[in-house]
Amino acid sequence: RMRREKQKGMTTATVVTNKTRILVVPGKATPVGMANQQAGGVDGGKSKTALRREKQKLNKAKQEADEAAAAAKEAEIAAAVQQQPVDPEKRAKKLKKQLRQIDD
């Protein structure tokens, strides 16, 4: 009786190719050495390399957006610095101070 119950739960041997997937069927055991795979899966059936490529593409797009934002911020700062009027008296004082420090 126990042998019949064990054989009933076992599935027959099948050829497994890359495209074939063994799905989890409630109440049935999977063949030895085979992993249970849910239909569709969490990743929607994508391969590991496809997921990795997608992740790299998202990271690259994010990095480019960050670089563009940083460049825009630098351009704003440079434009603000150029718009500030340069007082010739202050500039002369700074130059004199630097000359004094060099002499000392």
Side-chain angles (χ1 to χ4, degrees):
R1 180 180 64 90
M2 291 174 61
R3 184 175 50 164
R4 275 186 268 134
E5 286 178 3
K6 187 175 180 181
Q7 287 176 348
K8 190 184 350 176
M10 299 278 289
T11 59
T12 60
T14 58
V15 175
V16 179
T17 62
N18 290 340
K19 295 182 182 180
T20 319
R21 289 189 178 205
I22 305 236
L23 301 177
V24 175
V25 180
K28 285 201 172 186
T30 56
V32 176
M34 297 298 296
N36 292 337
Q37 295 183 358
Q38 300 295 333
V42 177
D43 57 9
K46 292 184 179 179
S47 66
K48 287 183 181 179
T49 54
L51 292 172
R52 184 176 51 87
R53 272 188 257 121
E54 187 176 315
K55 195 174 188 180
Q56 283 178 345
K57 187 185 283 187
L58 290 173
N59 287 340
K60 186 177 180 181
K62 182 180 177 184
Q63 185 179 13
E64 288 175 354
D66 290 345
E67 289 175 359
K73 190 173 183 179
E74 286 181 20
E76 279 184 31
I77 292 172
V81 168
Q82 285 184 352
Q83 288 179 355
Q84 293 175 351
V86 178
D87 188 18
E89 292 177 12
K90 283 187 177 181
R91 187 168 181 212
K93 284 182 182 179
K94 282 186 181 182
L95 287 173
K96 287 180 182 177
K97 184 178 178 182
Q98 288 177 350
L99 290 172
R100 269 192 241 125
Q101 288 177 347
I102 292 171
D103 289 339
D104 294 336

